[in-house]
Amino acid sequence: MLLFRLILLFAVAFIAWRLYRMVMAPRMRGPEQPPSLRGEVMVECAFCSVHVPRDQAIVEDSRWFCCEDHRRQHTQGSSGT
Ligand SMILES: [Zn+2]
């Protein structure tokens, strides 16, 4: 019964190869970058220290502010009389 054992050996090898490919296939892909970290640059408000996207922030004197109100309050507080 050498032929039967040969067929059995091939069948086991085939199943093992299929299982190996199923296990290894998802690991072939590289680590994915979180989508929230792409392209968006966050800046810190000089008044309240909250982080806002740079395209929504207001800049004055190389300082970033989350809103016009905080820009005005910070300017009045630091350079006002
Ligand atoms: Zn602010």
PDB file of all heavy atoms in Angstrom, residues 1 7-8 10 16 22 29 34-35 46 55-56 58 64 80-81:
ATOM      1  N   MET A   1       0.838  -1.210   0.000  1.00  0.00           N
ATOM      2  CA  MET A   1       0.000   0.000   0.000  1.00  0.00           C
ATOM      3  C   MET A   1       0.875   1.264   0.000  1.00  0.00           C
ATOM      4  O   MET A   1       0.604   2.225   0.689  1.00  0.00           O
ATOM      5  CB  MET A   1      -0.922   0.013   1.238  1.00  0.00           C
ATOM      6  CG  MET A   1      -1.945  -1.098   1.205  1.00  0.00           C
ATOM      7  SD  MET A   1      -3.060  -0.967  -0.225  1.00  0.00           S
ATOM      8  CE  MET A   1      -4.359   0.069   0.462  1.00  0.00           C
ATOM      9  N   ILE A   7      -0.248   9.080  -1.613  1.00  0.00           N
ATOM     10  CA  ILE A   7      -1.378  10.000  -1.853  1.00  0.00           C
ATOM     11  C   ILE A   7      -1.744  10.732  -0.558  1.00  0.00           C
ATOM     12  O   ILE A   7      -1.980  11.936  -0.547  1.00  0.00           O
ATOM     13  CB  ILE A   7      -2.583   9.220  -2.434  1.00  0.00           C
ATOM     14  CG1 ILE A   7      -2.251   8.752  -3.866  1.00  0.00           C
ATOM     15  CG2 ILE A   7      -3.839  10.083  -2.432  1.00  0.00           C
ATOM     16  CD1 ILE A   7      -3.234   7.728  -4.405  1.00  0.00           C
ATOM     17  N   LEU A   8      -1.755   9.982   0.556  1.00  0.00           N
ATOM     18  CA  LEU A   8      -2.070  10.572   1.853  1.00  0.00           C
ATOM     19  C   LEU A   8      -1.045  11.650   2.216  1.00  0.00           C
ATOM     20  O   LEU A   8      -1.389  12.738   2.692  1.00  0.00           O
ATOM     21  CB  LEU A   8      -2.086   9.467   2.923  1.00  0.00           C
ATOM     22  CG  LEU A   8      -2.764   9.862   4.238  1.00  0.00           C
ATOM     23  CD1 LEU A   8      -4.280   9.913   4.061  1.00  0.00           C
ATOM     24  CD2 LEU A   8      -2.421   8.855   5.327  1.00  0.00           C
ATOM     25  N   PHE A  10       0.771  13.444   0.128  1.00  0.00           N
ATOM     26  CA  PHE A  10       0.533  14.611  -0.721  1.00  0.00           C
ATOM     27  C   PHE A  10      -0.679  15.408  -0.235  1.00  0.00           C
ATOM     28  O   PHE A  10      -0.660  16.640  -0.234  1.00  0.00           O
ATOM     29  CB  PHE A  10       0.318  14.165  -2.183  1.00  0.00           C
ATOM     30  CG  PHE A  10       1.611  14.084  -2.959  1.00  0.00           C
ATOM     31  CD1 PHE A  10       2.116  12.858  -3.369  1.00  0.00           C
ATOM     32  CD2 PHE A  10       2.316  15.246  -3.284  1.00  0.00           C
ATOM     33  CE1 PHE A  10       3.302  12.783  -4.082  1.00  0.00           C
ATOM     34  CE2 PHE A  10       3.504  15.173  -3.995  1.00  0.00           C
ATOM     35  CZ  PHE A  10       4.002  13.936  -4.393  1.00  0.00           C
ATOM     36  N   ALA A  16      -1.560  21.400   4.486  1.00  0.00           N
ATOM     37  CA  ALA A  16      -0.637  22.198   5.291  1.00  0.00           C
ATOM     38  C   ALA A  16      -0.210  23.447   4.546  1.00  0.00           C
ATOM     39  O   ALA A  16      -0.134  24.548   5.112  1.00  0.00           O
ATOM     40  CB  ALA A  16       0.580  21.358   5.666  1.00  0.00           C
ATOM     41  N   MET A  22      -3.010  30.694   4.277  1.00  0.00           N
ATOM     42  CA  MET A  22      -4.105  31.414   4.928  1.00  0.00           C
ATOM     43  C   MET A  22      -3.611  32.198   6.136  1.00  0.00           C
ATOM     44  O   MET A  22      -4.062  33.308   6.411  1.00  0.00           O
ATOM     45  CB  MET A  22      -5.192  30.421   5.376  1.00  0.00           C
ATOM     46  CG  MET A  22      -6.271  30.207   4.335  1.00  0.00           C
ATOM     47  SD  MET A  22      -7.422  28.901   4.834  1.00  0.00           S
ATOM     48  CE  MET A  22      -8.165  29.634   6.298  1.00  0.00           C
ATOM     49  N   ARG A  29       0.956  42.285   4.412  1.00  0.00           N
ATOM     50  CA  ARG A  29       0.763  43.720   4.280  1.00  0.00           C
ATOM     51  C   ARG A  29       1.506  44.465   5.386  1.00  0.00           C
ATOM     52  O   ARG A  29       1.581  43.998   6.513  1.00  0.00           O
ATOM     53  CB  ARG A  29      -0.732  44.060   4.355  1.00  0.00           C
ATOM     54  CG  ARG A  29      -1.457  43.640   3.086  1.00  0.00           C
ATOM     55  CD  ARG A  29      -2.885  44.105   3.116  1.00  0.00           C
ATOM     56  NE  ARG A  29      -3.658  43.369   4.120  1.00  0.00           N
ATOM     57  CZ  ARG A  29      -4.924  43.627   4.426  1.00  0.00           C
ATOM     58  NH1 ARG A  29      -5.548  44.600   3.834  1.00  0.00           N
ATOM     59  NH2 ARG A  29      -5.559  42.921   5.312  1.00  0.00           N
ATOM     60  N   PRO A  34      -2.480  55.344  10.795  1.00  0.00           N
ATOM     61  CA  PRO A  34      -3.789  55.880  11.183  1.00  0.00           C
ATOM     62  C   PRO A  34      -4.168  57.053  10.295  1.00  0.00           C
ATOM     63  O   PRO A  34      -3.343  57.941  10.084  1.00  0.00           O
ATOM     64  CB  PRO A  34      -3.589  56.354  12.625  1.00  0.00           C
ATOM     65  CG  PRO A  34      -2.256  55.879  13.055  1.00  0.00           C
ATOM     66  CD  PRO A  34      -1.486  55.446  11.845  1.00  0.00           C
ATOM     67  N   PRO A  35      -5.389  57.061   9.744  1.00  0.00           N
ATOM     68  CA  PRO A  35      -5.753  58.114   8.784  1.00  0.00           C
ATOM     69  C   PRO A  35      -5.786  59.503   9.401  1.00  0.00           C
ATOM     70  O   PRO A  35      -5.626  60.490   8.694  1.00  0.00           O
ATOM     71  CB  PRO A  35      -7.150  57.705   8.321  1.00  0.00           C
ATOM     72  CG  PRO A  35      -7.650  56.760   9.348  1.00  0.00           C
ATOM     73  CD  PRO A  35      -6.442  56.089   9.941  1.00  0.00           C
ATOM     74  N   ALA A  46      -1.894  79.724  22.097  1.00  0.00           N
ATOM     75  CA  ALA A  46      -1.024  80.348  23.100  1.00  0.00           C
ATOM     76  C   ALA A  46      -1.813  80.827  24.312  1.00  0.00           C
ATOM     77  O   ALA A  46      -1.240  81.112  25.353  1.00  0.00           O
ATOM     78  CB  ALA A  46      -0.264  81.509  22.469  1.00  0.00           C
ATOM     79  N   ASP A  55      -5.023  75.028   9.678  1.00  0.00           N
ATOM     80  CA  ASP A  55      -5.806  75.832   8.724  1.00  0.00           C
ATOM     81  C   ASP A  55      -7.011  76.492   9.389  1.00  0.00           C
ATOM     82  O   ASP A  55      -7.667  77.323   8.783  1.00  0.00           O
ATOM     83  CB  ASP A  55      -6.226  74.981   7.516  1.00  0.00           C
ATOM     84  CG  ASP A  55      -6.965  73.729   7.934  1.00  0.00           C
ATOM     85  OD1 ASP A  55      -6.847  73.341   9.115  1.00  0.00           O
ATOM     86  OD2 ASP A  55      -7.663  73.141   7.098  1.00  0.00           O
ATOM     87  N   GLN A  56      -7.332  76.119  10.648  1.00  0.00           N
ATOM     88  CA  GLN A  56      -8.417  76.782  11.373  1.00  0.00           C
ATOM     89  C   GLN A  56      -7.890  77.757  12.416  1.00  0.00           C
ATOM     90  O   GLN A  56      -8.663  78.478  13.048  1.00  0.00           O
ATOM     91  CB  GLN A  56      -9.294  75.731  12.081  1.00  0.00           C
ATOM     92  CG  GLN A  56     -10.121  74.900  11.121  1.00  0.00           C
ATOM     93  CD  GLN A  56     -10.904  73.838  11.870  1.00  0.00           C
ATOM     94  OE1 GLN A  56     -11.299  74.021  13.006  1.00  0.00           O
ATOM     95  NE2 GLN A  56     -11.122  72.697  11.227  1.00  0.00           N
ATOM     96  N   ILE A  58      -5.541  80.916  14.117  1.00  0.00           N
ATOM     97  CA  ILE A  58      -5.210  82.316  13.785  1.00  0.00           C
ATOM     98  C   ILE A  58      -3.790  82.568  14.279  1.00  0.00           C
ATOM     99  O   ILE A  58      -3.446  82.205  15.407  1.00  0.00           O
ATOM    100  CB  ILE A  58      -6.209  83.276  14.468  1.00  0.00           C
ATOM    101  CG1 ILE A  58      -7.616  83.038  13.923  1.00  0.00           C
ATOM    102  CG2 ILE A  58      -5.802  84.722  14.270  1.00  0.00           C
ATOM    103  CD1 ILE A  58      -8.702  83.451  14.890  1.00  0.00           C
ATOM    104  N   TRP A  64       0.154  80.922  17.751  1.00  0.00           N
ATOM    105  CA  TRP A  64      -1.097  80.387  17.210  1.00  0.00           C
ATOM    106  C   TRP A  64      -2.222  80.536  18.231  1.00  0.00           C
ATOM    107  O   TRP A  64      -1.998  80.412  19.436  1.00  0.00           O
ATOM    108  CB  TRP A  64      -0.919  78.909  16.862  1.00  0.00           C
ATOM    109  CG  TRP A  64       0.035  78.706  15.731  1.00  0.00           C
ATOM    110  CD1 TRP A  64       1.366  78.415  15.844  1.00  0.00           C
ATOM    111  CD2 TRP A  64      -0.245  78.779  14.336  1.00  0.00           C
ATOM    112  NE1 TRP A  64       1.923  78.320  14.596  1.00  0.00           N
ATOM    113  CE2 TRP A  64       0.968  78.530  13.652  1.00  0.00           C
ATOM    114  CE3 TRP A  64      -1.395  79.044  13.590  1.00  0.00           C
ATOM    115  CZ2 TRP A  64       1.044  78.524  12.257  1.00  0.00           C
ATOM    116  CZ3 TRP A  64      -1.319  79.033  12.216  1.00  0.00           C
ATOM    117  CH2 TRP A  64      -0.108  78.775  11.561  1.00  0.00           C
ATOM    118  N   GLY A  80      -0.937  95.079  26.820  1.00  0.00           N
ATOM    119  CA  GLY A  80      -1.816  96.180  27.207  1.00  0.00           C
ATOM    120  C   GLY A  80      -1.305  96.841  28.485  1.00  0.00           C
ATOM    121  O   GLY A  80      -0.488  96.300  29.209  1.00  0.00           O
ATOM    122  N   THR A  81      -1.843  98.008  28.760  1.00  0.00           N
ATOM    123  CA  THR A  81      -1.417  98.731  29.962  1.00  0.00           C
ATOM    124  C   THR A  81      -2.171  98.285  31.185  1.00  0.00           C
ATOM    125  O   THR A  81      -3.321  98.210  31.213  1.00  0.00           O
ATOM    126  CB  THR A  81      -1.566 100.247  29.769  1.00  0.00           C
ATOM    127  OG1 THR A  81      -2.839 100.521  29.209  1.00  0.00           O
ATOM    128  CG2 THR A  81      -0.489 100.779  28.878  1.00  0.00           C
TER     129      THR A  81
END
